[in-house]
Amino acid sequence: MPRKKTKSLQRKIAPDRRYNSVLVAKLINKSMLGGKKLLSERLVYQGMETAAKKLKKDNPLEVLEASLKNVYPVLEVKSRRIGGANYQIPFEVRGSRQVHLALMWFVAATRARKGKPYDECLADEIVDAFNNTGAAVKKKEDTHKMAEANRAFAHFARY
């Protein structure tokens, strides 16, 4: 079995019901806890609509896509052992991994917010990401800073 997921090994995710978007379906799946997909679906839809109202926009899908675009990472670091030392080597992030990391950071930042229901926290995180602030955007910036700081080891990257 290959280390990287080839096209034949990747699962096809069906688009969600309301917006017919694979991106929203992935967010629903990542938000889901304990297999309760209908609950997760309802919370994500409510959060998206609340965020669109706060930003005074018509289409919640466009708001979510713009927010996630601000969270997509360009670079990440991977640890590699070379000659008895571990180096953090910067790599470019491509395709589905970019979406996966952004969604994971998004959900983690939403869950880290306390004191409000999940849908309100999700709406706040969407608004913050739309405005280039918030925990998910900070995580992206920290990852980029780490990659920039270890740029000297980029020549160790083989692929």
Side-chain angles (χ1 to χ4, degrees), residues 122-136:
L122 180 65
D124 291 344
E125 192 61 37
I126 290 171
V127 170
D128 286 349
F130 189 85
N131 296 324
N132 263 327
T133 57

Side-chain angles (χ1 to χ4, degrees), residues 119-155:
D119 59 327
E120 291 177 25
C121 292
L122 180 65
D124 291 344
E125 192 61 37
I126 290 171
V127 170
D128 286 349
F130 189 85
N131 296 324
N132 263 327
T133 57
V137 175
K138 185 179 183 329
K139 177 75 172 165
K140 175 192 120 172
E141 290 169 354
D142 291 347
T143 304
H144 284 183
K145 281 181 191 171
M146 179 81 81
E148 189 66 30
N150 290 297
R151 192 175 59 191
F153 305 124
H155 67 281

